[in-house]
Every structure is written in structure tokens, then in C-alpha cells.
Amino acid sequence: MNRALVQRLGFAFLGLITFVVVVPILLVIGVIVARGIVAINWQFLTTMPHGGMKEGGILPAIVGTLLLTLGTALVAVPIGVGGAVYLSEYARDTRLTRAIRLAIVNLAGIPSIVYGLFGLGMFVLFFRFGTSILAGSLTLAIMTLPVIISTAEEALRAVPQEFRTVSASLGGTRWQGIRTIVLPQALPGIITGVILGLLRAAGETAPILFTVAAFYLPRLPSSPMDQTMTLPYHLYVISTQVPGMPLSIQYGTALVLLALVLSLNIVASVIRRHFRRKRQW
Amino acid sequence: MVAPNSTQGAVERTAAHRTPASSYAGREPKIRIEGVSYWYSRRQMLNGVTLSVPDRAVTVLFGPAGGGKTTLMRLVNRLNDLVEDTQMTGRILLDGEDIYTPGTDVTGLRRRVGMVFALPLPLPGTVRENVVYGPRLAGERNTSRLSEIVERSLTQAALWTEVRDRLDAPALSLSGGQQQRLCIARSLALEPEILLLDEPTSGLDPISTAKVEESLYALKKDYAVVIVPHSVQQAARIADVAAFFLAGELVEWGEGPEVFTAPKVKQTEDYITGRFG
């Protein structure tokens, strides 16, 4: 077979695979938008549910998910980025650090329901935080940490070693080199990891099942010790637990969750592009 | 720990070592390297190197690749501290003080001993930011002081007239030769006492090379300049003191003109005349 033909067949095959990957995503988005858009109006987004959740809006679920995501970020970002800086810039290659890295990789593979049960035992019961936004945020943060640490470490390692050497040769301490050169250069990659982790946290149901999520709570939380409704759990409830729920509300809720996640994603790529333009290698 | 060339010219070398660099002999050396050996993960990079570097002169470290020139330089500003799994014996004295004494202020030492690398390595950011990077880390905040530093350092590095209107342009927008002079300026901004240059012109065209060498002539009035040249020709052009390294050993050193016109050791002569290396 001649090489040009092989090449063309190869491209066709790879193109087909790409198509197969993209189609389900487009279908999911398309169906949810088409069926959910009718439910979306100002009232749906800004009022409490009532009438057995078959009427009214989903405001507490939206607010709850936003608060949980924020709480997760507040806990997971400093710890995750700090851990990544330590692993990439300070830690020597010892048996201990290899064990830590192995633990991080394995944490990323633990099923989310296990995190949920861990959160229940650790934060809800042992620390007596009760079913609360605090307990839920901590649980989600622990689930998110491996993603943040490993992507941030990757981003830090991608910064050329020479920058650190130059900084040191100009009388910079190790931390000064990290603060002035390495971290700013790694920022786009770190942000990507943070957002990926947070997006996963925002859409999770299992970890919040026992730690924060309320079945039906038509008011806004007033403290971190409150329970709250959340979008993923609300979606699960109205899809499986409430008979006679109008389809449009189910799809509408899914659409709101999807839009929230996608808009976070867009914000992330704008930030990323902004910082990447400043980068020069 | 095997000295790879222990059989070659041991007698000659000892004789060469004893010969002092005459007109620098009376002066107190700026850097005194005493019996330095260095291992990197069991591989010996330097073997018993003893050498004096005079102040206000250009000292050239030359020889084939892998001879230990760069390694020796990085020991003088303790940049090799960043490398793991190494071992050193011997002493390095700066103005008579051992820089490897426990408790030495390493960042302070690196401010006194500037270094320029083989490839121009501008930091991310503008021309100005590159020059003031070191002084800022050292705590200089005064903007007018910093502006003075920028003009003085860039002038010393023979770059000021070319970039005075582009101080806020990205450092990477400069040509390769300009970038390398920017890196020299960046080191000079800290007002070091010693300037180490590791093949600073290896990536440059002849005209840029000439400009960098020109700035070196101006610099040796104030600094002890130590340079690994990128060719024997360059070594011969600029050396006040020359030291020939081969496989981790200092074969011969002395005043530049003597080493290049009347080398005492056959290996030096072979290298200079191009018979090997």
C-alpha cells in the first residue's frame, strides 16, 4: 500500500474517533438545552421551591452549590498549591515523598461515595460539625486535593530549571525564586488544575449526600453550620424520589447545573489566556 | 575515585603548578582555590585543583569540554549547592575567607559573585525588570535608585544606547547578543566583586561577540573577571591569566601571553595548536 494512502486512511480513522468522542457530549448538551430551556425563567432561578418541589424555583440549590464550591476552593486551593510547591520545589526524592506521591495518585482513584462516608465519619460525627456546609466543603476539598496537587505540581515542574538557577545566581533565596518567577509562570497550569478539581466537586452528589445536602429546605443558609440544598442532589431527588415531577423542571435543573459548570470553565480559560499571554516560553 | 589522566605528564604538571603568575604574584588573589576535588554522584569532576584568581584582570579557564571549568565556576558562587548527590574537598577562599564555612551567607555570596551563563537566559518580563531583579530581591525599593542602577549596569554592559528607549519592552524581544549583554547587566546591577562568565558568547555571531568582549575589557578595570571562552582564539585574545583544564585536572596556569605563546606542558601546547580537543 502506498504511503499517501496509508496516511489518508490514518487521518480518516483518527478523525472518526474524534467524532465518536464529541458526539455524545454534543447530544447531552443538546438534549438538556432543548428540553430544559422552557423551564428557565427569572422566577425559576430566584425563588424557593414549593408545592412538593413541583412548583417554584431552585434558588436554594443554586446558592448551596455556589457556597459549597467556594468553601471547597477556600480549603483545597491553599493546601493543594502549597503541597504542590513543597513536592516540586523543596522535597527531596526520598522514600517518604515517593509514598506521598503514590498516596496522592491513589486518592484520585477512590470512589466519591467513599469520600462521602469518610466525611460523615470524620467531619459530621467525629468533629461534630453536623450535616453542614462546613462538613460538605471539607469533604469535597479532600476529594479535590489530589487533582489540584498533581496538576499544580506538573505545572511547577514545567517551568524551566534555568529560571531557578538564574534567580539563585542573582542572590535570590529559593522562596524568592518561587514567588517571583516559578509560581507566576506556573499559574495558568495551576488555575487549570484548580478549576478542573472544583468543577468535579460542584457536580458531585455522593460526597455531599451525608455531609451537607438537604432533601427539601426552602430557605437560604445563614451560616457555614447550616444544611443546604444543592443542584446535583436536588436533581437526583426530583428525578428519582418525587413521583409526578414535571420533566421540564428536571431538565431545567440539569441545564442550570450544566450552565454553572460551563461558565466556570469559561472564566477559567479567560484567566488562563490572560496569564499565558504574559508567559514567554 | 580514579583520576583518569594520572599517568600523563605528572612531573611536568607539578612543575607548572609551582610557577607563579609573575606580575600577579605580589598581589593578594581575589579568589584562592586550594586543592579542590569534586564528585558528582561518584563521578570525579575535579581533581586537586589549586589556582589563584587576581582582582581586576581577566582569568580564562580553557580546555576541552568536560574538563571541569563550568563545575569550578559554579563552586565559586556555590550554585552547585542546588545539585544533589555531590561531594567536595579542598577550600575556596574569597578575600581570604573560606566560602564553604558553615554559616556562610550564600545569597550574600552570590551577590558578590555574579554569573553569566552560556545561553542568554532573560527572566520573564521587561528589560528593566531583568536588570532590577537582583537589587529588588536584595531589598532595594527606591525607584530613583533603581533607575540609576538600570542606566549604570546597562552602560557597563555596552547595551544602554541600544535599549534606552525600550526598557519596558519584553526582554525576549532583544536580539541574542543584546540578551546576553542584558544578562551581564543583570549581574552587574548587584555591584558584584567578581564576574563569572561561562561561554558567554557561544551562541552569538562575531559582531555580538566583539561587543561582549569589548564590555569585558571595560569591566576588568573594576572586577575580577573569570571566563570560560568558547574558543582558543578568544581565550588568547582576552586572557590576562590563563588556566588549562583537562579531564578535571588543572594542567597548567600562568599569565595569558606566556601560556599561549610558550606553554610549559605538552598537552597545553597540543590543545592550543589544535592537535586535539
Side-chain angles (χ1 to χ4, degrees):
Chain A
M1 222 178 342
N2 77 47
R3 291 186 300 165
L5 185 63
V6 171
Q7 166 132 325
R8 222 174 309 152
L9 280 174
F11 281 157
F13 180 65
L14 293 174
L16 190 72
I17 288 176
T18 312
F19 186 70
V20 168
V21 171
V22 173
V23 163
I25 299 171
L26 291 179
L27 276 178
V28 167
I29 295 176
V31 167
I32 289 177
V33 170
R35 299 202 185 163
I37 198 82
V38 291
I40 305 291
N41 54 44
W42 192 241
Q43 191 213 2
F44 187 68
L45 296 177
T46 58
T47 62
M48 304 293 163
H50 58 88
M53 294 186 268
K54 289 176 195 157
E55 290 164 47
I58 55 167
L59 180 65
I62 296 175
V63 171
T65 289
L66 288 175
L67 284 176
L68 266 183
T69 310
L70 182 71
T72 305
L74 286 179
V75 178
V77 172
I79 296 177
V81 175
V85 168
Y86 176 76
L87 283 176
S88 146
E89 307 296 319
Y90 289 95
R92 286 161 180 260
D93 188 27
T94 63
R95 203 172 292 176
L96 179 68
T97 57
R98 276 201 295 273
I100 292 175
R101 284 208 178 80
L102 191 68
I104 291 169
V105 172
N106 282 306
L107 275 177
I110 290 179
S112 54
I113 185 68
V114 176
Y115 283 105
L117 290 168
F118 172 78
L120 173 69
M122 187 77 169
F123 302 121
V124 177
L125 300 176
F126 184 76
F127 283 122
R128 298 172 189 282
F129 293 152
T131 314
S132 63
I133 293 178
L134 180 63
S137 297
L138 288 168
T139 308
L140 286 173
I142 289 181
M143 191 194 77
T144 314
L145 273 176
V147 181
I148 295 185
I149 292 179
S150 42
T151 48
E153 194 192 345
E154 201 73 21
L156 289 165
R157 283 183 190 278
V159 177
Q161 194 58 40
E162 286 82 1
F163 286 155
R164 298 172 179 88
T165 312
V166 167
S167 178
S169 79
L170 294 169
T173 60
R174 197 175 275 230
W175 170 241
Q176 283 177 322
I178 294 167
R179 183 172 53 79
T180 58
I181 311 283
V182 179
L183 265 181
Q185 294 298 300
L187 208 53
I190 293 175
I191 291 173
T192 306
V194 165
I195 297 289
L196 277 177
L198 290 181
L199 288 182
R200 187 175 161 216
E204 272 293 351
T205 314
I208 58 176
L209 204 53
F210 317 116
T211 54
V212 54
F215 185 84
Y216 177 65
L217 191 67
R219 58 179 172 81
L220 297 183
S222 58
S223 98
M225 304 313 286
D226 281 356
Q227 287 192 51
T228 180
M229 296 178 76
T230 68
L231 283 171
Y233 184 58
H234 183 63
L235 184 58
Y236 165 74
V237 166
I238 61 178
S239 308
T240 60
Q241 310 293 306
V242 185
M245 176 60 72
L247 259 186
S248 66
I249 290 189
Q250 296 176 18
Y251 278 106
T253 306
L255 179 56
V256 171
L257 180 56
L258 197 67
L260 202 84
V261 167
L262 286 182
S263 55
L264 266 179
N265 224 331
I266 290 167
V267 169
S269 52
V270 169
I271 297 175
R272 205 160 54 219
R273 198 168 315 155
H274 173 75
F275 283 111
R276 193 163 283 165
R277 221 178 297 140
K278 290 188 177 170
R279 190 167 74 181
Q280 303 157 343
W281 42 273
Chain B
M1 312 313 150
V2 181
N5 288 292
S6 52
T7 53
Q8 302 173 16
V11 181
E12 290 167 295
R13 233 183 0 260
T14 316
H17 273 170
R18 249 183 257 126
T19 313
S22 55
S23 66
Y24 296 103
R27 289 204 221 163
E28 196 60 36
K30 186 69 185 169
I31 309 167
R32 175 77 190 154
I33 293 154
E34 286 181 355
V36 168
S37 297
Y38 185 77
W39 291 265
Y40 171 63
S41 72
R42 302 237 182 111
R43 214 165 84 87
Q44 184 158 19
M45 311 298 285
L46 289 171
N47 185 10
V49 172
T50 296
L51 174 69
S52 291
V53 173
D55 203 0
R56 295 165 210 282
V58 174
T59 300
V60 160
L61 314 179
F62 73 109
K69 302 159 291 179
T70 302
T71 305
L72 185 62
M73 268 195 175
R74 285 170 163 250
L75 286 175
V76 174
N77 67 351
R78 292 191 57 171
L79 258 195
N80 275 346
D81 287 12
L82 303 182
V83 185
E84 288 174 31
D85 194 14
T86 62
Q87 198 194 326
M88 180 187 142
T89 59
R91 299 201 301 165
I92 297 179
L93 309 173
L94 184 56
D95 287 334
E97 280 175 42
D98 189 339
I99 60 168
Y100 280 87
T101 309
T104 300
D105 170 15
V106 179
T107 55
L109 169 74
R110 293 190 186 132
R111 288 191 191 106
R112 293 173 66 194
V113 186
M115 182 156 197
V116 176
F117 300 88
L119 291 171
L121 290 167
L123 294 169
T126 65
V127 173
R128 189 199 308 272
E129 283 166 353
N130 264 273
V131 179
V132 300
Y133 183 81
R136 261 194 196 153
L137 291 192
E140 182 62 66
R141 288 280 173 273
N142 184 321
T143 26
S144 65
R145 262 298 288 149
L146 288 173
S147 301
E148 279 169 39
I149 290 173
V150 169
E151 178 166 354
R152 174 185 58 78
S153 325
L154 288 171
T155 308
Q156 276 182 305
L159 186 60
W160 174 248
T161 49
E162 290 166 59
V163 300
R164 61 192 306 169
D165 304 321
R166 300 161 61 191
L167 294 177
D168 293 309
L172 276 183
S173 68
L174 303 182
S175 74
Q178 289 173 330
Q179 283 180 28
Q180 193 57 302
R181 278 176 286 152
L182 175 63
C183 291
I184 295 176
R186 189 172 63 188
S187 295
L188 296 175
L190 285 163
E191 302 185 43
E193 299 157 33
I194 297 160
L195 195 57
L196 310 173
L197 303 113
D198 185 5
E199 300 195 33
T201 56
S202 61
L204 305 184
D205 62 88
I207 292 169
S208 303
T209 301
K211 282 188 176 166
V212 170
E213 283 184 18
E214 214 173 286
S215 62
L216 290 185
Y217 283 120
L219 291 174
K220 76 171 181 184
K221 293 194 195 90
D222 301 309
Y223 302 89
V225 176
V226 183
I227 180 171
V228 175
H230 82 260
S231 68
V232 175
Q233 289 80 355
Q234 184 179 43
R237 267 200 307 272
I238 59 179
D240 294 316
V241 172
F244 177 61
F245 284 81
L246 187 62
E249 306 215 14
L250 176 56
V251 176
E252 169 170 7
W253 67 285
E255 279 194 55
E258 279 173 29
V259 171
F260 287 104
T261 54
K264 297 188 181 67
V265 183
K266 186 167 177 306
Q267 290 142 329
T268 315
E269 186 179 348
D270 286 350
Y271 184 73
I272 292 168
T273 53
R275 255 173 289 209
F276 84 95

